[in-house]
Amino acid sequence: MPAGRPFTITTPIFYPSDVPHIGHGYTEVAADVLARWHRQAGDDTWLLTGTDEHGQKMLRTATANDMGPREWADRLVQQAWLPLLETLDIANDDFIRTTQPRHEQGVAAFVQRLYDTGFIEAGDYEGYYCVGCEEYKQTAELVAGTGKYEGQLVCAIHSIPVELLSERNYFFRMSQFTDRLLALYEERPDFVQPESARNEVVSFVKQGLADLSISRSSFDWGVQVPWDERHVVYVWFDALLNYITAIGFDGDEATLNRRWPAVHLVGKDILRFHAVIWPAMLMAAGLEVPRQVFAHGWLLVGGEKMSKSKLTGIAPASITDVFGSDAFRYYFLRAIPFGQDGSFSWEDLAARYQAELANGFGNLASRVIAMIGRYRGGVVPAAGDPSERDLGIREVVRTAAIEADLAIERMAPHEAIASIWRIVEELNGYLTLEEPWALAKRPEEAARLDAVLATAAEGLRALAVLLSPVLPKACAKLWTALGAGGALGLLADQPLRSAGDWAQLPAGTATAPLEPLFPRIEQEVLSA
Ligand code: MSP
């Protein structure tokens, strides 16, 4: 098969200073659903994720745990961050760690290039630093501490005291890029999305950019600055480069050309790094800027960003252990309009699981497969001449598939799922109206029963393909029960952009029993 159009998507690389919570899981799942969609549509897809292992936050956490930073990172990556990908069924193509030689060499080559071309220079800096953000803060970004931090200035995001640092450092001459960045946002309105994020970035850059301190000499946990061994590269400058060091910078030009530029999915907390600093770095190096930076919202607890430092983090496995990974994926992408904040609640999750997954999709699939088994000996019948209602279902499937693909293109997975869900609702309504269980009692209605079961089976075929990026486990089970593998091949090979074309599952296909896709969850488990 010829390679389709390229689609590279990334998640932020996460600090493995601590274990992941569902906020991190949310980004992973969103990126994975978008990647699976594009992959299944035949695009030349690459999903990159990983861990950000240098910097003060990592060093301090490791030290507090009586370990070296590398050992600490190794332990957390093995025990928590790689398992997160299993827990959430993430089909990533690569996992980069910033301590890997491929990355460290790329960082050194990049900063050397900027130094050689005059974009990095030595200078002095004094300012308030937040280790939680790994960032110098403006006074306007600080607030008065309360409780044990009374009398101190604290970071508005982390609520921990900032530190006054004064350093002789190397600076990236970011101030030179103010106009070029503004021109970029103007020429490519899609570069930063959603609109609220774009507006924030534009008004920030309009104030003018300062140069950026990109080295540290007070500790040594980082990539050494190649021309000055007393300094290590600032953790954010190092981390952002993962997006290109993982795909061929510096040395594998062919891979870099194939995979770059990428779409970056980030939480809105780290928007400026990606939409301001990162494109400026790339411009300075003479490389293409990203294809898009998309900032999604925060998962909130009690109106505040869920975070480990505020002890509000919920472990992803506490959800998947009860509801399964498909439900996690579905819930967060369906319930929260992508780009906006969302409040997580167990009640809402349980209600949607029951109504939409178990009673909606799961029940539809099990009813249809069971009726084909009972009334037609487990063989998909021929559709015959379609009635108006049958034609109505075909039209719903056709338009839902088109609308879903358009929604994915505009980074609106919640709308894509809503479009596909119309098929679930319409098919359930169709069965209620057609009453195949009643038709089965009247031998003269045999042809009509055939048509209804064939229409429903074909609708399920389309649903299995369209929902597989969101619900990979359930759709794989459904594909097997439909017996679709024999005539159509692997589910993963079904071209997603033709999923809405009718009459793909042939008459005569042998179905197999279907175990419940979304089993009942006992009330005691929910209230435990
Ligand atoms: N290491 C940096 C990113 C470097 S990228 C070159 C970092 N890491 S982090 O571990 O703090 O993860 C931040 C990301 O986790 C956010 O951008 C977001 O994707 C995700 N989230 C963390 N908390 C979240 C919520 N409460 N809600 C949604 N996403 C959240 O910053």
Side-chain angles (χ1 to χ4, degrees), residues 255-481:
T255 304
L256 190 64
N257 285 337
R258 176 173 175 194
R259 303 274 175 226
W260 186 255
V263 171
H264 298 311
L265 218 60
V266 300
K268 64 180 187 181
D269 44 334
I270 56 173
L271 173 64
R272 284 186 200 169
F273 294 100
H274 286 82
V276 181
I277 300 179
W278 178 225
M281 287 166 66
L282 290 159
M283 286 171 177
L287 295 166
E288 251 185 278
V289 299
R291 175 162 150 187
Q292 183 175 60
V293 177
F294 189 95
H296 66 66
W298 285 338
L299 299 190
L300 305 175
V301 176
E304 279 196 66
K305 176 177 176 244
M306 174 181 297
S307 86
K308 264 274 138 124
S309 58
K310 292 185 179 163
L311 300 176
T312 51
I314 297 171
S318 65
I319 293 178
T320 57
D321 285 351
V322 178
F323 295 93
S325 57
D326 276 3
F328 184 108
R329 300 166 63 92
Y330 174 83
Y331 174 70
F332 286 106
L333 289 196
R334 174 90 203 245
I336 305 171
F338 202 51
Q340 294 178 25
D341 292 345
S343 294
F344 168 75
S345 100
W346 286 98
E347 291 74 21
D348 190 30
L349 167 62
R352 281 184 184 267
Y353 179 89
Q354 201 50 42
E356 294 163 22
L357 293 176
N359 298 344
F361 178 44
N363 194 27
L364 169 70
S366 60
R367 279 203 295 169
V368 173
I369 299 289
M371 288 191 289
I372 294 174
R374 195 173 316 131
Y375 306 140
R376 290 296 177 262
V379 176
V380 176
D385 286 338
S387 71
E388 280 301 307
R389 236 183 239 148
D390 300 350
L391 291 174
I393 293 292
R394 294 185 193 190
E395 188 52 22
V396 167
V397 170
R398 196 184 68 82
T399 47
I402 294 170
E403 283 171 9
D405 193 44
L406 290 173
I408 294 287
E409 280 302 313
R410 52 171 197 275
M411 301 291 271
H414 58 293
E415 289 176 11
I417 299 174
S419 295
I420 301 167
W421 224 256
R422 269 204 61 217
I423 306 178
V424 173
E425 285 153 6
E426 293 287 333
L427 274 178
N428 270 325
Y430 173 79
L431 293 180
T432 307
L433 291 171
E434 293 288 342
E435 299 187 306
W437 45 91
L439 294 174
K441 293 189 184 132
R442 301 202 298 274
E444 70 279 13
E445 296 285 13
R448 187 66 210 134
L449 179 59
D450 280 354
V452 172
L453 294 179
T455 302
E458 178 62 9
L460 285 183
R461 189 272 318 148
L463 278 175
V465 178
L466 290 167
L467 287 174
S468 62
V470 185
L471 303 169
K473 289 201 170 94
C475 291
K477 286 184 194 160
L478 176 56
W479 196 251
T480 304

Side-chain angles (χ1 to χ4, degrees), residues 12-59:
I13 48 170
F14 301 97
Y15 294 124
S17 47
D18 210 334
V19 296
H21 58 64
I22 60 176
H24 306 115
Y26 177 52
T27 313
E28 288 286 2
V29 161
D32 186 56
V33 166
L34 294 165
R36 283 182 189 254
W37 187 280
H38 283 269
R39 200 179 289 125
Q40 179 119 16
D43 296 341
D44 184 18
T45 302
W46 197 253
L47 170 57
L48 172 66
T49 185
T51 42
D52 184 356
E53 305 186 3
H54 293 131
Q56 256 163 301
K57 195 206 283 262
M58 280 299 294
L59 182 60

